[in-house]
Amino acid sequence: MARITFLYINLLMALFLTLPALQAREKTFTVVIDAGHGGKDPGARGTVIDEKAINLAVALKLGEKISANHEDVKVIYTRKTDRFIELDERANIANRNKADLFISIHTNSVKKGSTARGTETYTLGLARTDENLAVAMRENSAILLEDNYLQKYEGFDPNSSESYIIFEFMQNKHMEQSISLASEIQKCFTSANRGDRGVRQAGFLVLRKTSMPSVLVELGYISNREEERFMKSSDGQNKLASALSDAFTKYKKEYDRKQGGVAGVAKSVPVSPAPSYSEEKSSKKSSAPAPGSEQDILNKKKSASTSSQKRQAAATTTTSSSTKSKSNTAGKVVYKVQILTSDKKLSAGAKVFKGYKNVDFFVEKGIYKYTYGETTDFESAKRLRRQVAKDFKDAFIVAFKDGKKVKY
């Protein structure tokens, strides 16, 4: 009897010690990594290598790094070999697997001149420059290799600028998260001494049908001999994949924080040394958009419109409830659950709210951000987020104090 009791205690002890490890290995976050082009679609052609080969090599290295550093992340590839996959199927792979993030990897090129260089990351939207439109047209032209593409993409012509008007009217509820990831990617590329061409918007079909935060990354210019050699080399591919992996880690950490839970288990990653004063100064200088650039023009437009938008928001009956209940929450931190964002003001009965009543909003950097619920208790906010997550998968907690958004 004593022997049985001893074995029983040992069994319980073993279960107690292994359970946390089993829980840690549970995959709670899914990222889909899409290597652009492939098979009969070479993408942009260089002098010694095609785009499809660079994209695949960096995609596989990125997946390996994410898997090695994050035990709670499931990595899925749209392709792991040199094969052709239709654009809508790439999005379908992400949707079927209920992915939390979609990263499409590409390589840039220009027809004339070989001096263009640097990295840029795109989110879905209307291209506001001819240059961005040209990039989208080149990437979308892959559908011309598909059967029945006119029927499948509802008459979309990748070479007609008129077809891209549809992207002006699209409401992307994942806009904020997509821009956040894109910004982290560009910061990490800059830290890796890659040229920073900024975060941009354009109408990419591969991003159009994804139902999660999504970005399309242009690693560099294959039309530039120096950049082509760098992207072809194993060292260059490792550096690009490492920058993307670092950006993912930062995004994932913020994602976990906003979910109101404990951050997912991640293995220790070497911390880069703090930049020197000259590096910091250079980084700050490079973060400012060049005069007359797309980002500079957009910043000026946003700056001019933000004041009027805030005045309009303050005048409506659906202003942030932190203002409405200011007398009851003065000096306290108020938690709300942000459910979606829009670049336009939505009516109270809009279908995107899925029947939820008393939805509030606040305006930040020209973007309308819609919230549901309000509480001064963080645990209650976490429960509220779990409740609305069934309808708004990417809902997260935001905090306000005396009507102003704050970190928590």
Side-chain angles (χ1 to χ4, degrees):
M1 182 69 181
R3 178 178 175 80
I4 294 174
T5 303
F6 178 75
L7 290 173
Y8 180 71
I9 292 173
N10 280 346
L11 180 63
L12 288 177
M13 289 284 290
L15 182 62
F16 177 77
L17 292 172
T18 58
L19 186 58
L22 291 173
Q23 290 175 331
R25 286 193 290 271
E26 181 184 357
K27 306 297 184 181
T28 59
F29 187 100
T30 300
V31 56
V32 170
I33 302 175
D34 171 46
H37 306 281
K40 62 183 179 181
D41 175 18
R45 291 185 179 277
T47 56
V48 293
I49 192 171
D50 290 334
E51 175 186 355
K52 65 177 183 178
I54 295 172
N55 299 343
L56 181 59
V58 174
L60 294 176
K61 291 178 185 294
L62 170 61
E64 290 173 0
K65 292 178 185 297
I66 290 176
S67 295
N69 294 328
H70 299 272
E71 294 182 344
D72 65 326
V73 175
K74 181 179 181 180
V75 175
I76 295 174
Y77 303 89
T78 57
R79 69 180 181 98
K80 298 181 73 173
T81 58
D82 181 20
R83 66 191 187 99
F84 179 75
I85 301 178
E86 299 171 343
L87 288 189
D88 64 342
E89 176 57 17
R90 295 170 188 266
N92 290 338
I93 290 171
N95 293 335
R96 284 198 301 269
N97 287 280
K98 298 180 180 179
D100 298 285
L101 197 62
F102 180 84
I103 303 174
S104 188
I105 298 176
H106 290 258
T107 305
N108 221 333
S109 178
V110 289
K111 291 182 179 179
K112 296 181 179 180
S114 59
T115 58
R117 61 189 300 119
T119 63
E120 54 202 51
T121 304
Y122 285 86
T123 60
L124 185 65
L126 179 68
R128 301 185 186 279
T129 68
D130 291 339
E131 181 182 4
N132 290 5
L133 178 60
V135 173
M137 284 182 168
R138 183 173 62 79
E139 301 296 1
N140 290 337
S141 65
I143 68 171
L144 300 177
L145 299 173
E146 301 180 22
D147 295 329
N148 302 319
Y149 77 90
L150 284 174
Q151 291 80 5
K152 187 185 300 183
Y153 297 97
E154 302 168 342
F156 184 92
D157 181 357
N159 296 319
S160 170
S161 59
E162 293 179 357
S163 290
Y164 290 81
I165 297 298
I166 61 171
F167 294 101
E168 183 175 11
F169 305 104
M170 293 187 68
Q171 294 292 336
N172 183 4
K173 66 178 181 178
H174 304 293
M175 181 192 306
E176 184 180 11
Q177 296 100 312
S178 299
I179 292 175
S180 175
L181 173 61
S183 299
E184 289 294 352
I185 288 174
Q186 288 304 123
K187 289 177 185 175
C188 289
F189 275 146
T190 301
S191 297
N193 296 320
R194 303 302 299 152
D196 178 15
R197 293 175 59 86
V199 174
R200 303 178 176 219
Q201 281 190 324
F204 294 98
L205 291 175
V206 74
L207 302 183
R208 177 186 174 188
K209 293 187 178 180
T210 54
S211 57
M212 72 286 303
S214 307
V215 297
L216 185 146
V217 183
E218 295 285 359
L219 299 172
Y221 281 81
I222 200 171
S223 52
N224 181 307
R225 292 286 184 90
E226 183 182 349
E227 291 217 320
E228 180 188 12
R229 286 195 296 271
F230 175 80
M231 293 186 291
K232 181 180 181 294
S233 70
S234 178
D235 181 59
Q237 292 166 1
N238 274 321
K239 286 181 179 178
L240 291 166
S242 293
L244 289 169
S245 177
D246 290 344
F248 173 83
T249 296
K250 293 177 181 178
Y251 175 88
K252 177 66 165 50
K253 182 178 180 180
E254 183 67 6
Y255 172 91
D256 288 330
R257 185 186 71 81
K258 287 183 176 180
Q259 297 308 302
V262 179
V265 177
K267 296 180 182 178
S268 59
V269 181
V271 179
S272 300
S276 64
Y277 173 77
S278 59
E279 289 173 329
E280 278 191 359
K281 187 175 181 181
S282 174
S283 177
K284 289 178 181 178
K285 183 182 292 184
S286 64
S287 65
S293 66
E294 175 197 28
Q295 194 58 48
D296 183 48
I297 293 171
L298 290 177
N299 286 348
K300 289 178 180 177
K301 286 183 178 179
K302 285 182 181 180
S303 178
S305 63
T306 298
S307 296
S308 61
Q309 287 173 334
K310 286 183 177 180
R311 285 196 296 271
Q312 291 172 10
T316 64
T317 57
T318 54
T319 49
S320 173
S321 57
S322 63
T323 302
K324 290 189 279 187
S325 58
K326 192 172 182 179
S327 59
N328 297 326
T329 59
K332 299 179 181 178
V333 175
V334 176
Y335 301 101
K336 303 181 183 184
V337 179
Q338 184 171 317
I339 55 177
L340 56 85
T341 62
S342 172
D343 56 355
K344 299 176 182 178
K345 184 179 177 183
L346 305 175
S347 63
K351 290 183 179 180
V352 291
F353 294 137
K354 302 180 180 180
Y356 281 71
K357 304 297 182 182
N358 301 319
V359 173
D360 297 313
F361 74 86
F362 61 99
V363 180
E364 188 174 57
K365 296 181 180 178
I367 298 176
Y368 288 84
K369 302 183 178 182
Y370 291 85
T371 64
Y372 179 77
E374 139 178 339
T375 178
T376 56
D377 178 57
F378 186 62
E379 291 301 316
S380 297
K382 287 164 64 176
R383 287 193 293 271
L384 183 62
R385 193 206 68 80
R386 288 194 292 269
Q387 290 172 13
V388 302
K390 65 181 184 295
D391 295 309
F392 300 96
K393 178 184 175 183
D394 296 293
F396 58 88
I397 299 170
V398 290
F400 297 84
K401 187 174 182 181
D402 296 329
K404 295 183 178 180
K405 188 178 177 183
V406 297
K407 291 186 177 181
Y408 61 93

